[in-house]
Amino acid sequence: MDFRPLRHFLTLSDTLHFGRASDACHVSPSTLSRSIRGLEEQLGVALFQRDNRHVVLTAQGRRFQSYAREALEHWEQVRLSLQSDAKQLTGEISIYCSVTASYSFLYTLLSEFRGRHPGIELKLHTGDPARAIQQVLSGDEDMSITFRPRQIPDGLAFKSLTRSALVFIAPHEDQPWIPREPQSPSQDQWKRVPMILSESGLSRELADTWFRALGVLPKIYAQVAGHEAIVSMVGLGFGIGVVPRIVLEASPLAERVRILPVKPELPYYDVGLCVLNRRLKNPLIDALWQEVEEH
C-alpha cells in the first residue's frame, strides 16, 4: 500500500511551502507537485490554492487533512499490531519538550525503554513548552513532556513525572526596582518592577493571577518564548522573572540570579507526559506510556 501521497499532502499542509515540504519528504518539488495533483484528480477538488508566492489550504483541503491524519494513524496501528504478534516493535515515536526537559527527564525515561525496544526510533523536537500540548492535540507530535494544565483538554491523557515550584528570580546585583520586602508584597513595591515573563502557558497564567490578587498591572519589560531565556535576561539585569525551579536548577546561568522569597508563593505544578487517548492504541506509544508507570 502506497501512503506516500498522503504523507506528501500532510507535510505540505503543515509547511505550506513546496520547497520545505519537498526537502522534508526527500523528493523533488516536481515529484511533490505531481503527488498533490494526483490526489486532487482522484478527489475531484482542489486541496490547495497556490500562486508564485503563497500556498493555502482550501476548505476541502482542511477536511481532507483530518482524514489523511486518521488514515495514516489507523494504518500504523494495524501494521504495528500485526508486527507485535510476530516480532519486536519497530517504528518511530516523536516527542516534544523544552530544552530543560530534554536533559532533565529523557535519560531516565528512555534509557531502559531503549534496551527493551531497540527497534523503536525516537525523534525529539524541542521548543517553547507553552506549545507542547497543542503539538499533541494537532497530531504534529505523538507525545510531549509538559506542565499539567489547569484543565486537561478532552481526549488527552497526562501522567506525572515530577513536581516543580514556580519562583521569582532577580539578578544578584542590587537594583533600585528589586522589592526590599518580597515577603510582604505591596502595590508600591511591585508596580514599577520590570518583569520578564513567558508569552503564554501555565507559568504566565499563574504569574498574571498573582499580580491581579495584588491589584497591580505588571510592568512588562519582555515577553519571551521558553523559560531558559528568562533566566538569561534576568542574569543580565533586565528585570525580575518567573520560572519553574527545575529550569533554574538546570540552567548554566543559575549562579547569576537569586530566588526572591516572595509571599504568597506561586503554586507548584506537575511536569509529566501527555498523549492523546486514542493514540494509546498504537503499540509503540502504549509501550512508552507503560514505561512511565515503572518510573
Side-chain angles (χ1 to χ4, degrees):
M1 299 180 69
D2 187 4
F3 284 97
R4 283 176 297 179
L6 292 185
R7 293 192 174 93
H8 294 168
F9 165 78
L10 287 174
T11 302
L12 182 58
S13 69
D14 288 337
T15 62
L16 297 178
H17 189 282
F18 272 88
R20 289 195 292 269
S22 61
D23 288 344
C25 295
H26 306 291
V27 298
S28 67
S30 60
T31 298
L32 178 67
S33 183
R34 285 196 300 271
S35 185
I36 299 301
R37 276 201 309 271
L39 280 175
E40 291 177 326
E41 290 172 1
Q42 292 180 60
L43 294 168
V45 296
L47 299 174
F48 296 93
Q49 293 177 348
R50 43 203 185 263
D51 55 33
N52 292 333
R53 301 180 62 184
H54 300 97
V55 178
V56 181
L57 275 169
T58 63
Q60 292 83 1
R62 288 193 294 272
R63 289 177 60 188
F64 188 70
Q65 186 180 36
S66 298
Y67 162 79
R69 288 193 194 282
E70 291 178 5
L72 287 177
E73 189 175 299
H74 291 160
W75 162 250
E76 189 70 5
Q77 289 173 7
V78 170
R79 184 183 72 83
L80 293 172
S81 178
L82 294 174
Q83 283 186 356
S84 65
D85 293 337
K87 58 181 180 179
Q88 70 178 16
L89 294 174
T90 60
E92 64 180 42
I93 300 174
S94 64
I95 302 175
Y96 181 93
C97 63
S98 68
V99 173
T100 297
S102 70
Y103 48 72
S104 296
F105 299 108
L106 287 185
Y107 179 81
T108 301
L109 178 63
L110 301 179
S111 57
E112 295 183 13
F113 179 78
R114 287 288 293 159
R116 293 191 183 100
H117 303 286
I120 297 179
E121 179 184 356
L122 299 164
K123 290 193 172 182
L124 176 65
H125 303 117
T126 59
D128 183 359
R131 296 175 50 211
I133 289 178
Q134 185 56 41
Q135 291 293 102
V136 172
L137 292 175
S138 67
D140 292 329
E141 305 286 353
D142 296 319
M143 292 179 159
S144 70
I145 298 175
T146 184
F147 301 109
R148 182 195 293 268
R150 289 180 170 179
Q151 184 172 357
I152 297 177
D154 291 341
L156 194 73
F158 184 95
K159 191 171 289 187
S160 179
L161 297 171
T162 189
R163 299 179 74 211
S164 178
L166 198 62
V167 295
F168 285 84
I169 58 173
H172 268 301
E173 296 77 11
D174 197 22
Q175 301 287 347
W177 36 260
I178 296 178
R180 303 301 176 200
E181 298 179 1
Q183 299 93 334
S184 303
S186 67
Q187 294 181 1
D188 287 339
Q189 286 187 78
W190 285 94
K191 63 183 180 182
R192 296 183 181 88
V193 175
M195 295 298 304
I196 303 167
L197 301 174
S198 297
E199 291 177 334
S200 58
L202 183 59
S203 64
R204 179 59 184 269
E205 293 176 17
L206 295 175
D208 287 346
T209 298
W210 188 91
F211 277 103
R212 279 197 301 270
L214 188 61
V216 171
L217 183 64
K219 178 183 176 182
I220 304 297
Y221 176 83
Q223 302 180 79
V224 302
H227 295 114
E228 293 84 1
I230 296 178
V231 180
S232 177
M233 295 186 73
V234 172
L236 290 169
F238 294 141
I240 288 177
V242 174
V243 298
R245 184 186 288 270
I246 193 171
V247 172
L248 179 61
E249 291 173 346
S251 173
L253 304 175
E255 294 183 356
R256 297 186 182 181
V257 303
R258 55 192 169 101
I259 295 177
L260 286 180
V262 173
K263 300 292 183 180
E265 296 177 347
L266 291 167
Y268 279 77
Y269 48 56
D270 288 336
V271 182
L273 191 67
C274 74
V275 62
L276 286 171
N277 277 311
R278 60 184 173 84
R279 296 289 284 143
L280 292 174
K281 296 177 183 178
N282 182 314
L284 274 68
I285 295 174
D286 184 60
L288 180 53
W289 186 253
Q290 297 304 324
E291 189 81 10
V292 175
E293 289 186 339
E294 297 176 9
H295 288 88

